[in-house]
Amino acid sequence: MRSNATILILFILVAVNVSNERTSATKVEPEVVVIKPKVYAYVMSSDLDSIVEETENYSRIRRGLKACRYPKNSEDSEIVCKIYPSKVICNQTCMFGYKFKEGRTRIMKCNFDENIWRPTRTFESCQSYVDCNLTLGPGGSMKCFTNYMEHGPVCEVECKRYEDKLPVRKRSYECNEKGNWSPELPFCVSPSSAMYVDPTSDESLSI
């Protein structure tokens, strides 16, 4: 009897494992959609007007959703959405130097039967908390790249000889999360402002 009971228990365990494997095999993987902000490049010179260029970033967009529609493009954040049979879940992350009130990332959820996004009804824009703009002075020229997710704007700056200032060869400079540039900026460019808002508070700080 004990032998038969043992065999029966083993049979049940095997049957349960097979059933679980079949269930996991039939699970539908969600479709993943990625919307990324465009990287912009602009050229400025003391002799020429500024020129703005666009660099396309990879975005994979599913069209035709009748409910729980998400943005087709984004200027200031990366949006990664997972589309399930009954709902859509999106992770919206602000690009470098931008944030929501609660931080850089917000999770948005929408059920198809409700067609309402939560926690906010729409995908809100991120707010800038640091100014990385540069003002060009006499003899200067620069080409800057902005809208990165992982780091701040990068500018290639070159200065011609001006009055008693020696020329400065072209070099790359990067703006950090507090609006400081590294390495130190040459004489022909200067930060547009010195305002910085701590991402963890709503207070403005001068740096």
Side-chain angles (χ1 to χ4, degrees):
M1 293 294 292
R2 289 182 179 178
S3 177
N4 291 337
T6 302
I7 293 174
L8 179 60
I9 292 172
L10 290 174
F11 176 79
I12 293 173
L13 290 175
V14 171
V16 170
N17 288 334
V18 171
S19 176
N20 289 338
E21 290 177 0
R22 288 178 178 175
T23 301
S24 61
T26 56
K27 285 183 179 179
V28 178
E29 291 295 326
E31 180 179 353
V32 178
V33 175
V34 180
I35 301 101
K36 292 187 176 183
K38 294 178 180 179
V39 174
Y40 286 92
Y42 62 91
V43 180
M44 296 184 67
S45 172
S46 56
D47 302 325
L48 301 171
D49 294 332
S50 61
I51 302 173
V52 179
E53 305 170 353
E54 285 186 9
T55 301
E56 291 285 351
N57 267 356
Y58 168 78
S59 294
R60 181 168 179 258
I61 303 174
R62 175 182 175 181
R63 304 182 185 278
L65 286 182
K66 295 182 179 179
C68 298
R69 294 183 177 180
Y70 47 80
K72 294 181 180 180
N73 52 64
S74 176
E75 292 293 330
D76 52 34
S77 62
E78 178 181 273
I79 303 173
V80 179
C81 297
K82 291 185 177 181
I83 304 173
Y84 296 89
S86 61
K87 61 185 177 181
V88 181
I89 299 177
C90 295
N91 192 325
Q92 184 179 8
T93 303
C94 297
M95 67 185 186
F96 188 95
Y98 287 73
K99 69 180 182 72
F100 298 114
K101 291 181 179 179
E102 68 273 20
R104 281 192 66 190
T105 301
R106 175 180 291 171
I107 298 176
M108 300 284 288
K109 299 180 180 180
C110 178
N111 295 323
F112 287 132
D113 57 350
E114 294 181 334
N115 193 25
I116 298 175
W117 284 101
R118 291 185 173 87
T120 57
R121 296 277 179 142
T122 60
F123 285 77
E124 296 180 347
S125 298
C126 301
Q127 301 300 316
S128 173
Y129 62 85
V130 61
D131 185 0
C132 284
N133 291 317
L134 293 177
T135 299
L136 196 64
S141 62
M142 63 182 180
K143 182 174 184 179
C144 297
F145 301 87
T146 65
N147 287 23
Y148 290 107
M149 293 297 299
E150 300 83 9
H151 58 80
V154 175
C155 291
E156 298 174 349
V157 181
E158 183 177 10
C159 303
K160 297 179 181 179
R161 179 187 293 273
Y162 180 74
E163 295 183 347
D164 61 339
K165 303 290 186 181
L166 296 176
V168 179
R169 293 182 179 180
K170 182 186 295 185
R171 186 175 182 181
S172 293
Y173 302 83
E174 184 175 323
C175 184
N176 66 19
E177 199 171 19
K178 291 191 175 182
N180 297 321
W181 287 84
S182 180
E184 184 178 352
L185 293 170
F187 72 87
C188 62
V189 291
S190 59
S192 295
S193 74
M195 295 305 297
Y196 161 70
V197 180
D198 191 329
T200 60
S201 71
D202 293 328
E203 298 180 357
S204 296
L205 303 177
S206 179
I207 56 175

